[in-house]
Structures are given as C-alpha cells and as structure tokens.
Amino acid sequence: MASSSKKDHRREARERLRAEREAEARRARLRGRLLVGGALAAVLAVAVGVGAYAAGRAGPGKSEAAGKPFLRPAHTTGEDGVVVPYGRADAKDVVSVWLDPRCPFCANVETGLGPAFKEQADAGTYRVEYHFATFLDGGLGGKGSKRALNALGAAVNESPEKFLDYLQVLYKNHPGKETDDRFGSTATLLELAGQVPGLRTPDFDRAVEELSYMPWVDKVSKAFGESGKRGTPSVEVNGKEVGVLSGRGEAVSPEAFAQLVAANRKS
C-alpha cells in the first residue's frame, strides 16, 4: 500500500513537472512572438519615418488630377518640368535633393540645411535641384503630400525664390508625424503661404484651391518612382549620394555638409 502511494506521488510529481515545462514552453513561444512582432513593428515604424518607398507603394486611390489639363509650372526643368532648380544654370556642381512633403525627416533636412542650400546657390557655389515624392499618401492614406506639392508647383510658377521660401515655411510648420495629414487642407496651405511676402496672388490662390497642378504632381511622383530611389530624404552631390542625417534623424550641420560638397566636387 505504501509502495503504491509512493508511486502515485512520483507520478503526480512527474505530471506537474511536465505541465510546468509545457507551460514555460508556451510562455517562451509567446515571448518570442511578441519580440518578433515588436521588432517588426519597430522596423516598420522606422521605415515609415524615413519615408521608405516600399511601404508607400499601396494603391494611391483616385487621382485628383483626373480631367484636369496638364500645366507645367514656370521655372522648372527636365521632361514635363519634374525638377525644380534653384541657382545658376551654369553652376558646375549640383546638389540634388529628394523630399516628400509629409516626411518629418525631410523637414529636418530642409529646415537644417535649406538656408545653407540657398546661400551657397546664391553665391554660385552649386545649383540645387529639387525632386519630390508623394508616396506617403499612398502608404498612409490622405492627400497632404500631393496637395502640398501642388501648392509648391503654384509657388515656383510665381518665382524660384518664392518656391524656396514657401518650402521652408511648410517644413517649419510640419506637424512632426507623417501620419498627420495637415497639408491635405488647402485652407492650411493658403494660410501658410501668407507667411511668404507676395506669394498670395490670385493665380497662386486659384491654383491651390482648384488643384491646378495635380497632373504635374502625378508626373513628378512618377519620375520619383522611376528614379531608383528607395525613400526620402535623399541628397546627392554631383550624382553621388551623401548622408545628411545623424543617427537621431537630425540634419548634419551646414559645415559638415560643406565638407561633403568639397569632397565630391567636379574636377
């Protein structure tokens, strides 16, 4: 009887041990799933934050360009005017910049380095060529990237100087998150344009309200898709990509960027 009781206790102990091991295995598997899921979420968050093009290739929805005639803004270059230049046309060196209006890291680059871009372009050190993407609208939903670019098209049609000033105003008033579709409001875009002296002409206001440059916006967006670029912001000096963001997502200093330009000048 005593022997049978001992066997029962040992059997029960083994059962408890097995149950505990199985429970711990389940907990371990769950922790693994949570860790993998968390890591994936972090990667996706970073990817969206830096404007990863792959994340933005979802369907863009119905284009607001439908039925509108193509209007090419004045002072643009390239086929269909998909490039917005600033500076002397005969400048030997070229700084190329790719931005998405909704991208907060693009805002960091433009607010941090934009004044230096303008200063050096005015001095003839190099010409700046702006390229734009609007894939965050497709990836996150909303209209802010394209509507802001439409407004920028209306600004460059007024003058390159007003375009550059308006670009600075937009990025200085960036909501800070690409998920915030603040620039999807034409009223907001017009209100911000009021900070640029002389920009609020009747032609400018009408183009922003009526989305007149949306067919141009679509061509600019398509050009980015065909460029081979995988995200924004991206900056090149004479065709060579250079790093302009720190590990924290802030722009490098104007002095550091000047060194990058000097290292990549045409001979």
Side-chain angles (χ1 to χ4, degrees), residues 162 165 193-200:
K162 288 186 174 67
D165 288 346
Q195 298 183 29
V196 180
L199 182 56
R200 291 288 304 270

Side-chain angles (χ1 to χ4, degrees), residues 30-139:
L30 178 59
R31 283 196 299 271
R33 286 195 295 270
L34 291 174
L35 286 170
V36 171
L40 179 58
V43 169
L44 290 176
V46 171
V48 171
V50 299
Y53 179 46
R57 297 182 72 175
K62 185 178 179 181
S63 172
E64 292 186 297
K68 297 182 185 296
F70 174 75
L71 296 176
R72 173 177 175 161
H75 314 112
T76 57
T77 61
E79 185 176 359
D80 296 320
V82 297
V83 180
V84 180
Y86 183 85
R88 290 172 47 177
D90 62 349
K92 184 170 65 172
D93 297 301
V94 178
V95 171
S96 303
V97 185
W98 283 262
L99 306 168
D100 186 309
R102 285 176 67 175
C103 169
F105 292 94
C106 297
N108 291 348
V109 168
E110 185 57 30
T111 56
L113 292 175
F117 292 162
K118 182 179 188 302
E119 178 184 353
Q120 295 303 310
D122 288 341
T125 306
Y126 50 73
R127 180 175 70 258
V128 185
E129 294 187 345
Y130 282 96
H131 307 251
F132 289 93
T134 60
F135 56 81
L136 285 174
D137 282 358

